[in-house]
Amino acid sequence: MPIIDTLARIHPVTARAHARERLHRRRDTREAAATRHAALDDAITRLGITTTDLPHTRSALTVWESAPHLSSTGNRILLAGVTGAAMFAIDKYVAPPLVDLAMNALGTVAPDFAHQANPALEGMNNGEPWQFSAATMMGQAVVLAVPLAVAALFLLLLSYAVASRHPRWPYSLVDETAKALAQCADLYEAQLTDLRTSSRKVDRRSRAVEQHVLDAYRSSRTIPRRSPRRAPARQHGQLVAAALRRQLTQIDVDPRQGVQDYAALVAEVGERYAEGRVSSLLPEEKLAGLTPPSPALTTFRESLHIAGGIVAAALAAVAAAALLPKLGFIPEDLSPWLIASAAAVAGILTAGWHRVARLIPFFGP
């Protein structure tokens, strides 16, 4: 921060304030790192894993806690500003031709239906009240869904671009493995009544670990884009993801032994990654006879889930906007909140909370 450093050299009061701020930051970092190390020790002890002290994992967690948070106020303001500008550009320049294209496609499939919907669209553009026939609602759904889909796609790409350039990004796999170990320990000690909840948490965390393993050749930032080392590292990550997935299925055979063996694999993957062994996250004997999962198929399925959630949210918003005025007793000030709630619930039920939650940190408090 060169401006603060310059002010610190100019005025002694600024220098003292800057020194106190750095001292508080280092103290908070030490406390956060100590908390993560204690949680890691606790998880390993509860699981009874015969492993090393995981020194590289501890060092990576310390760096993770010392890096600035992606959810800081400045980053959120920047993301909100860029997203707002992008929404304006999408609504003014991108959405109209896409809406026309969608209506032309609708006219090809159902020309009578599209012919009834077009007047409603023209009325909406002129500020006229919404109409609530089936055809006009379809046209209005197209008007809402197309800009929302484009804006959501832009937001996903923007969030990935910002996250992939953040100082924490190379250590995200270690962070996920540490969290996975804690949840595996909860499942290992879970009673029969808590088994369902704990196993679902481990399953959700395993998907995050698997995705970070598949992206390890990129997120580590140790392999240049055009390096010949990139392809072997990517193929190795696919085999490691397959090994983790195979071991995860053993939880349903023997929950305690299965989760213990899975946690041991996760700990080994995190330690080797933190050590810089991107192409040797697991030894070769543990990868024998495995068929790697298809990253393209996994990405396509995730994209379908997200697209389905966006469409469901748009349709729910249109349905709520059509139904609320007919009820008659809903205050007008409350209607936008109910419409947004209906869209959020539909998106969560369709795409899943863990997918919707990826966008929340960029706009939450």
Side-chain angles (χ1 to χ4, degrees):
M1 302 177 64
I3 297 178
I4 296 180
D5 293 336
T6 302
L7 290 175
R9 288 193 296 267
I10 294 174
H11 200 282
V13 175
T14 308
R16 288 193 295 270
H18 186 40
R20 284 196 299 269
E21 191 270 338
R22 287 187 298 178
L23 181 62
H24 290 318
R25 189 185 306 164
R26 285 197 295 267
R27 184 183 61 189
D28 293 341
T29 298
R30 287 196 300 268
E31 292 177 354
T35 302
R36 296 300 299 273
H37 294 169
L40 182 64
D41 291 335
D42 178 67
I44 293 174
T45 302
R46 291 159 61 194
L47 286 164
I49 300 176
T50 56
T51 182
T52 60
D53 195 39
L54 304 179
H56 298 91
T57 299
R58 296 174 186 278
S59 299
L61 289 176
T62 301
V63 177
W64 169 272
E65 294 298 337
S66 63
H69 289 250
L70 180 62
S71 56
S72 62
T73 304
N75 285 326
R76 288 181 177 178
I77 293 174
L78 176 62
L79 280 175
V82 173
T83 304
M87 288 286 289
F88 174 79
I90 289 170
D91 182 64
K92 190 169 183 63
Y93 301 108
V94 180
L98 290 179
V99 170
D100 292 340
L101 183 63
M103 291 305 299
N104 290 336
L106 182 63
T108 304
V109 177
D112 295 337
F113 204 74
H115 180 70
Q116 300 176 34
N118 277 322
L121 296 181
E122 295 176 358
M124 288 175 63
N125 292 330
N126 295 329
E128 297 177 7
W130 281 32
Q131 304 175 32
F132 300 111
S133 66
T136 56
M137 285 181 63
M138 176 61 74
Q140 291 157 359
V142 170
V143 171
L144 286 176
V146 171
L148 283 176
V150 176
L153 178 61
F154 170 80
L155 183 59
L156 287 174
L157 294 176
L158 177 64
S159 62
Y160 177 80
V162 172
S164 62
R165 285 162 176 79
H166 196 267
R168 282 188 164 192
W169 183 253
Y171 307 97
S172 55
L173 174 56
V174 181
D175 175 65
E176 290 294 337
T177 56
K179 293 177 180 176
L181 288 175
Q183 292 181 347
C184 286
D186 292 339
L187 177 58
Y188 185 76
E189 295 182 341
Q191 302 296 326
L192 185 60
T193 54
D194 300 328
L195 194 62
R196 176 178 175 272
T197 302
S198 299
S199 62
R200 289 174 69 89
K201 288 181 179 179
V202 170
D203 196 69
R204 286 195 294 266
R205 184 63 62 183
S206 69
R207 289 197 291 268
V209 172
E210 180 180 320
Q211 188 59 49
H212 280 83
V213 166
L214 292 173
D215 290 339
Y217 71 97
R218 284 196 301 255
S219 61
S220 65
R221 294 180 182 168
T222 60
I223 305 176
R225 183 178 298 273
R226 299 186 182 276
S227 172
R229 300 151 47 205
R230 195 175 179 89
R234 180 177 63 248
Q235 295 167 4
H236 177 75
Q238 295 172 10
L239 290 174
V240 172
L244 291 172
R245 187 177 295 185
R246 180 179 63 180
Q247 186 56 53
L248 185 68
T249 60
Q250 298 303 308
I251 294 179
D252 298 317
V253 179
D254 185 350
R256 286 178 63 86
Q257 187 62 43
V259 75
Q260 188 181 49
D261 295 339
Y262 176 75
L265 277 185
V266 169
E268 187 173 5
V269 168
E271 178 66 11
R272 286 175 172 240
Y273 176 82
E275 194 177 352
R277 302 167 66 179
V278 181
S279 293
S280 182
L281 299 177
L282 285 176
E284 292 297 327
E285 58 268 17
K286 295 183 180 180
L287 304 178
L290 289 171
T291 301
S294 171
L297 182 59
T298 302
T299 303
F300 179 70
R301 288 174 177 172
E302 284 293 311
S303 301
L304 282 182
H305 279 294
I306 294 175
I310 293 171
V311 173
L315 293 178
V318 172
L323 181 61
L324 291 177
K326 295 183 178 180
L327 296 178
F329 58 86
I330 303 296
E332 293 185 0
D333 295 342
L334 190 60
S335 295
W337 294 98
L338 294 177
I339 294 173
S341 299
V345 170
I348 291 172
L349 292 178
T350 305
W353 168 250
H354 64 284
R355 295 183 179 89
V356 177
R358 295 175 189 171
L359 303 179
I360 294 179
F362 297 99
F363 298 99

